[in-house]
Amino acid sequence: MIQKIVPNLWFDDQALAAANFYTSVFKSSKIVNVMHYGKASSEVSGKVEGSVMAVEFEIEGQRFVALNGGSEFKFNESISFIVNCENQEEIDMYWRSLTEGGQESVCGWLKDKFGVSWQIVPTVIDELLSDPDPERAERVMRKFLEMKKIDINSLIDA
C-alpha cells in the first residue's frame, strides 16, 4: 500500500549516508529502494549519471525519501520529527545516537549530523503538562524548559 504522505528530505549528496544512519538508529527500519540518476535526470540536475538520486527508507512503519538534490536548500528547525519514547532508556539511546556529530538544543530538541531536527520526548509529557493541578503543571514546564535531554524522573518529581 502506498503511504498517502511521505516526508521528502533534501540533501546535497548525503541521501544514502543519511538513510543508512537513520535505519541504523531505529530498530524497526529498512532501506526500501535506491534510485540513481539516469542520462536525462543527470543532464537536468547536473548530477553524475549513475550516482544516487534518491533513497526510499522506512522507520517504524513511516516511509521517507532522501533526495540528493544539491546544495540549494538546507534544513532548519521549522520542521522536526518527534520521537515519542516510553522510558528514559529510549530517550538516552535516541539522544546519544542522534546527537553524535550533531548539536543539542533545549526541551528535547536536537539537530543530527545532517542538520535534521528531532524532538526526543517522553510519552508522559502531555499528561504531566496538563496536570489538573495548575501549579504542578507549571513546575513541570519550568523544569522542562531548563533541560536539553529530557529526564523523566526530574519532570515527575517536579
Side-chain angles (χ1 to χ4, degrees):
M1 186 170 93
I2 293 178
Q3 186 172 296
K4 191 75 158 175
I5 298 172
V6 178
N8 183 67
L9 305 174
W10 181 295
F11 295 89
D12 183 4
D13 62 0
Q14 306 131 319
L16 185 57
N20 282 329
F21 174 67
Y22 299 138
T23 57
S24 75
V25 169
F26 295 90
K27 293 176 188 165
S28 180
S29 62
K30 63 184 176 184
I31 301 289
V32 176
N33 190 21
V34 179
M35 294 151 275
H36 296 86
Y37 280 100
K39 184 174 180 164
S41 57
S42 67
E43 287 173 0
V44 171
S45 68
K47 295 287 188 177
V48 175
E49 185 176 349
S51 65
V52 173
M53 179 174 65
V55 181
E56 185 178 8
F57 63 103
E58 187 174 293
I59 299 174
E60 302 288 341
Q62 172 70 47
R63 289 279 172 115
F64 293 84
V65 171
L67 171 71
N68 281 331
S71 60
E72 184 177 352
F73 300 113
K74 300 293 180 206
F75 295 110
N76 66 55
E77 294 81 358
S78 65
I79 298 288
S80 63
F81 296 105
I82 297 172
V83 180
N84 291 302
C85 300
E86 294 295 325
N87 54 50
Q88 192 65 46
E89 182 181 26
E90 262 194 302
I91 289 173
D92 294 346
M93 188 276 297
Y94 288 124
W95 190 266
R96 183 178 53 255
S97 298
L98 291 169
T99 58
E100 185 177 319
Q103 172 182 0
E104 296 182 355
S105 191
V106 295
C107 302
W109 286 62
L110 64 88
K111 273 191 179 185
D112 67 29
K113 62 186 172 184
F114 300 102
V116 175
S117 293
W118 299 82
Q119 296 178 58
I120 311 302
V121 297
T123 54
V124 72
I125 192 69
D126 290 340
E127 177 185 332
L128 293 171
L129 290 174
S130 59
D131 191 286
D133 176 356
E135 290 178 10
R136 180 163 193 251
E138 181 65 22
R139 287 192 310 270
V140 170
M141 178 57 81
R142 286 187 188 282
K143 184 58 100 174
F144 180 68
L145 292 171
E146 295 172 359
M147 295 179 182
K148 288 188 177 186
K149 180 181 78 169
I150 303 304
D151 179 334
I152 297 172
N153 286 334
S154 292
L155 293 176
I156 291 171
D157 292 344

